[in-house]
Amino acid sequence: MSQRSTSSTRLADDIASDIHSGKLGPGSWLKQVDIQERYGATRLDVRKALDQLVIKRLIEHIPNRGYHVHVPDPVRLDEIRDVRILLECGALEDLIQHITPKQIKHIRDLAKKFDMLISTGTLLEQYAANQAFHHAVYDLCKNRELVRLIHEIKAGTPAAPTTQWINHARVQQSAKEHFDLVDALSKHDLAQAQAVIRQHIQQSERT
């Protein structure tokens, strides 16, 4: 990784942490010149960092206006959660029929990595590990159209750090739910796996 890439990634994590802590609240506009001054960064690093955060769904880019922190729509988020529960519970029903011990070990290792990063990693590293875990689980589903729909609907919503990870305890609970899901899948217990994923999806600022 180049020095330039390292500095822009570090800046992206600093901005992400300030969004997560509430220092940059929902709807806050992120003017490039303000970001440069606030974090002592170059213009190029600011642009790269903001683009990274758009990809990770922590902020939104409005053409001809700029970047701003996502503003959650509670009604829309509730409706999306309902759809996700239907899709992801359906995917579990598909994949649990043919999941192998080797695949169980792989997703358990990813759950362990996320758990470790809670205390040792940056917010963006936690985000990436969380995404890797969920992608690995649903990529075991043989119905590829179902997998596509799951990834598509998740890509259209704010990321977990802005809508679910409201404190350290909530992140730790997410890690526990990862392990609970793996345990249920290893036992081929569909009802328990679906119960875990419902709880996991229903995380919100009201929990």
Side-chain angles (χ1 to χ4, degrees), residues 16-73:
S17 295
D18 282 348
I19 291 172
H20 184 52
S21 69
K23 292 179 182 178
L24 295 170
S28 298
W29 285 95
L30 305 175
K31 295 182 179 179
Q32 294 190 37
V33 63
D34 292 341
I35 296 296
Q36 285 178 247
E37 294 177 0
R38 178 173 182 144
Y39 299 94
T42 66
R43 182 177 180 82
L44 181 58
D45 279 344
V46 170
R47 184 58 185 266
K48 287 185 175 181
L50 292 176
D51 287 342
Q52 287 182 50
L53 295 174
V54 169
I55 292 171
K56 296 181 185 300
R57 310 194 319 276
L58 289 170
I59 66 175
E60 184 177 2
H61 180 232
I62 307 298
N64 302 319
R65 295 192 63 187
Y67 301 81
H68 72 81
V69 180
H70 272 288
V71 181
D73 178 341

Side-chain angles (χ1 to χ4, degrees), residues 176-195:
K176 179 182 181 300
E177 289 163 358
H178 289 173
F179 287 118
D180 289 345
L181 178 60
V182 176
D183 288 343
L185 292 175
S186 68
K187 298 172 184 175
H188 293 269
D189 187 338
L190 177 60
Q192 181 58 25
Q194 291 177 331

Side-chain angles (χ1 to χ4, degrees), residues 90-140:
L92 292 178
E93 185 174 0
D94 176 307
L95 67 89
I96 204 169
Q97 300 177 46
H98 55 79
I99 194 167
T100 67
K102 182 177 180 181
Q103 291 167 336
I104 290 290
K105 181 182 183 304
H106 176 59
I107 60 176
R108 192 183 297 279
D109 287 344
L110 291 174
K112 289 178 180 178
K113 181 177 181 180
F114 175 75
D115 187 52
M116 178 192 68
L117 287 171
I118 292 175
S119 57
T120 65
T122 66
L123 184 66
L124 293 188
E125 287 172 336
Q126 293 167 16
Y127 168 88
N130 182 60
Q131 288 294 97
F133 173 81
H134 287 283
H135 276 266
V137 170
Y138 294 117
D139 281 348
L140 299 176

Side-chain angles (χ1 to χ4, degrees), residues 141-155:
C141 180
K142 289 186 175 180
N143 186 326
R144 303 316 298 169
E145 186 63 17
L146 181 54
V147 175
R148 184 190 67 78
L149 288 172
I150 290 171
H151 292 333
E152 184 177 285
I153 195 167
K154 291 179 72 173

